[in-house]
Amino acid sequence: TQLLEQSPQFLSIQEGENLTVYCNSSSVFSSLQWYRQEPGEGPVLLVTVVTGGEVKKLKRLTFQFGDARKDSSLHITAAQPGDTGLYLCAGDRMDSSYKLIFGSGTRLLVRP
Amino acid sequence: NAGVTQTPKFQVLKTGQSMTLQCAQDMNHEYMSWYRQDPGMGLRLIHYSVGAGITDQGEVPNGYNVSRSTTEDFPLRLLSAAPSQTSVYFCASTPGAYNEQFFGPGTRLTVL
């Protein structure tokens, strides 16, 4: 059972465009993380959001945690080719002290 | 600091063979995990450990064994490899806060 649904699964855009990636669940999470993974490498943590409604910014990336702590979004402004990669969200379930649940990922391609 | 290291980078096995995937971390993290990554399925937890001498099963533990004799090392053993175990395997460690994962570079395993 996939508890975290990511959309879209694949996104191909032109450099300079904006985009939003969504991570949705029917479960409540105590925290939610976003990772970026490049080919042949392990995922790298971008951000952790822990409070319902929280917004965090990392340069051109904006992360939001839903008020009910069931969903999150990642917005990229003026995408650049260096943003290309696989974006993964991961939720820390409130009923399980250590088991992270990962979404299936959004593969982003930013064309020059 | 080297962070999380994994060996080997690539491995090809025949059905029925056994092998051990090595994982080590030098960050003194208590928690360590093994994940497998398959296309369209994100990362799935195989086994995890909350400290030396303590291990537990994740979402997909069948066919794999782990042990944790030291804080630094967390090897994953495939007892009798099957084609269904063809995947990319990632080891990760976390200091514990919000389960933020630090991933190794991965091992790409093919079972023929």
Side-chain angles (χ1 to χ4, degrees), chain B residues 13-103:
Chain B
L13 292 177
K14 295 181 179 179
T15 296
Q17 288 185 315
S18 62
M19 79 159 295
T20 299
L21 279 64
Q22 301 293 342
C23 173
Q25 54 97 4
D26 61 0
M27 298 175 283
N28 202 33
H29 290 169
E30 287 297 322
Y31 302 109
M32 297 186 74
S33 302
W34 275 101
Y35 296 88
R36 59 178 290 173
Q37 185 174 36
D38 301 293
M41 301 190 71
L43 287 153
R44 292 183 293 169
L45 183 65
I46 304 171
H47 284 287
Y48 66 98
S49 170
V50 298
I54 306 170
T55 63
D56 205 348
Q57 296 181 350
E59 181 185 357
V60 288
N62 292 341
Y64 308 95
N65 271 2
V66 292
S67 60
R68 183 97 179 272
S69 57
T70 67
T71 298
E72 294 78 20
D73 300 300
F74 191 41
L76 177 72
R77 283 182 289 278
L78 279 71
L79 308 174
S80 177
S84 60
Q85 293 178 305
T86 293
S87 187
V88 182
Y89 291 85
F90 289 99
C91 179
S93 71
T94 175
Y98 305 120
N99 280 336
E100 293 174 338
Q101 305 285 304
F102 292 78
F103 285 92

Side-chain angles (χ1 to χ4, degrees), chain A:
Chain A
T1 303
Q2 188 68 41
L3 296 182
L4 268 176
E5 298 290 340
Q6 277 189 249
S7 61
Q9 290 185 342
F10 181 75
L11 196 54
S12 177
I13 62 171
Q14 203 72 34
E15 181 177 359
E17 293 183 356
N18 301 332
L19 68 116
T20 302
V21 176
Y22 299 94
C23 180
N24 295 299
S25 177
S26 58
S27 300
V28 178
F29 297 103
S30 59
S31 67
L32 196 138
Q33 301 157 21
W34 286 92
Y35 294 81
R36 182 168 70 203
Q37 184 179 19
E38 300 193 16
E41 299 181 7
V44 175
L45 180 69
L46 295 174
V47 78
T48 300
V49 285
V50 298
T51 305
E54 181 177 5
V55 177
K56 280 191 173 179
K57 293 191 175 183
L58 186 66
K59 297 182 180 178
R60 294 174 293 98
L61 279 61
T62 301
F63 304 86
Q64 184 162 7
F65 202 11
D67 291 341
R69 303 214 302 271
K70 294 182 179 181
D71 54 84
S72 180
S73 64
L74 158 60
H75 182 80
I76 301 179
T77 303
Q80 299 181 1
D83 296 326
T84 292
L86 178 68
Y87 289 82
L88 296 159
C89 63
D92 193 1
R93 291 192 299 184
M94 300 190 76
D95 61 348
S96 180
S97 63
Y98 182 56
K99 298 177 184 177
L100 275 183
I101 300 297
F102 280 83
S104 57
T106 293
R107 193 165 296 280
L108 172 65
L109 173 64
V110 182
R111 305 186 307 274

